Amino acid sequence: MTRHPEVSEVSLAREIFGPLGGIVEIGAVVDAGAGAALARISVGDFTARNKPELTHILRTVQEVGRFRPSTMDLVDELGWHADHEITAASLLLWSGGIEEYSPRLGSPQAVRRMAGAGADLQLVHFSHALVGAAVALGKPAAASSEPIVETMRRAARLAGSDAPGAAWDVYRMWRASLLPAVLMPAAASPHSVRIGYRSFAHALEQRLSA
């Protein structure tokens, strides 16, 4: 299976690993509970406790994108799974600026709001990038939609949402926010890319609404 020549394997991987890093940070915040001081939250402890979930997600990412081991090494280079400080400023970025930058940015209410908005935003970007990697390879939507749906569910749990319909909610947000920019006639997307994304949108909807 050949990757589209204009699409770099590394750039596809970075598009996936970026939001996944946000999901991990946000998951650690949610897991720590309301009112926990950001400076005392350990990302390393969180990823250690959720190692099976994260390992499964990364394994599926590698399979969907057919990423080489050297490309997967980017995860270690980025270092979001290792212990590091979570700041209110980083949560502000992950959440798309839902809060105003101010001395109150680290308050429990602001952190809770940024974590909620950030989880929505990063799960949508993660799912979009995962579908994009499959489309770039020309993978059939019918066969590839199942592992993508399962990975969406696992990523949602990692971000702190274990609700049965979490993946369906992520799909609907993706369909409403990012998908039109790919599918609309005015988009710069090649015809083959539109066909690929549309096929995955239909296949994901079928699996999630079953």
Side-chain angles (χ1 to χ4, degrees):
M1 189 173 292
T2 305
R3 196 181 310 276
H4 194 285
E6 296 181 3
V7 182
S8 159
E9 176 180 336
V10 171
S11 65
L12 285 174
R14 285 187 178 275
E15 288 294 318
I16 295 172
F17 296 152
L20 186 54
I23 289 166
V24 166
E25 278 201 2
I26 290 163
V29 171
V30 174
D31 184 67
L38 292 179
R40 302 186 66 179
I41 296 174
S42 171
V43 176
D45 288 350
F46 175 76
T47 55
R49 289 195 302 274
N50 291 276
K51 185 176 180 180
E53 198 82 287
L54 190 54
T55 298
H56 193 284
I57 289 171
L58 290 173
R59 185 182 300 120
T60 303
V61 165
Q62 184 173 19
E63 291 172 356
V64 169
R66 293 181 64 87
F67 296 138
R68 291 169 292 184
S70 59
T71 301
M72 297 301 296
D73 287 344
L74 283 170
V75 174
D76 291 328
E77 293 178 22
L78 293 169
W80 45 250
H81 61 302
D83 219 10
H84 64 274
E85 183 183 1
I86 300 175
T87 65
S90 69
L91 290 179
L92 184 62
L93 290 174
W94 294 129
S95 64
I98 192 68
E99 285 287 309
E100 181 181 3
Y101 189 82
S102 76
R104 297 185 298 277
L105 194 60
S107 69
Q109 184 179 17
V111 168
R112 185 166 56 251
R113 186 177 291 116
M114 289 188 292
D120 289 346
L121 192 58
Q122 300 313 315
L123 285 166
V124 165
H125 280 293
F126 173 72
S127 301
H128 187 65
L130 198 55
V131 171
V135 171
L137 279 170
K139 285 196 165 186
S144 299
S145 59
E146 183 176 358
I148 289 177
V149 164
E150 178 58 26
T151 303
M152 289 167 64
R153 290 191 175 115
R154 289 178 181 272
R157 287 198 294 269
L158 205 62
S161 177
D162 57 357
W168 172 245
D169 290 340
V170 172
Y171 167 79
R172 292 180 64 200
M173 289 188 288
W174 169 69
R175 182 177 62 184
S177 61
L178 299 184
L179 196 56
V182 177
L183 300 182
M184 290 295 287
S189 312
H191 182 62
S192 60
V193 170
R194 293 183 192 177
I195 290 175
Y197 273 91
R198 188 173 286 116
S199 296
F200 270 94
H202 295 174
L204 292 173
E205 179 182 6
Q206 184 176 6
R207 288 194 178 276
L208 285 164
S209 61

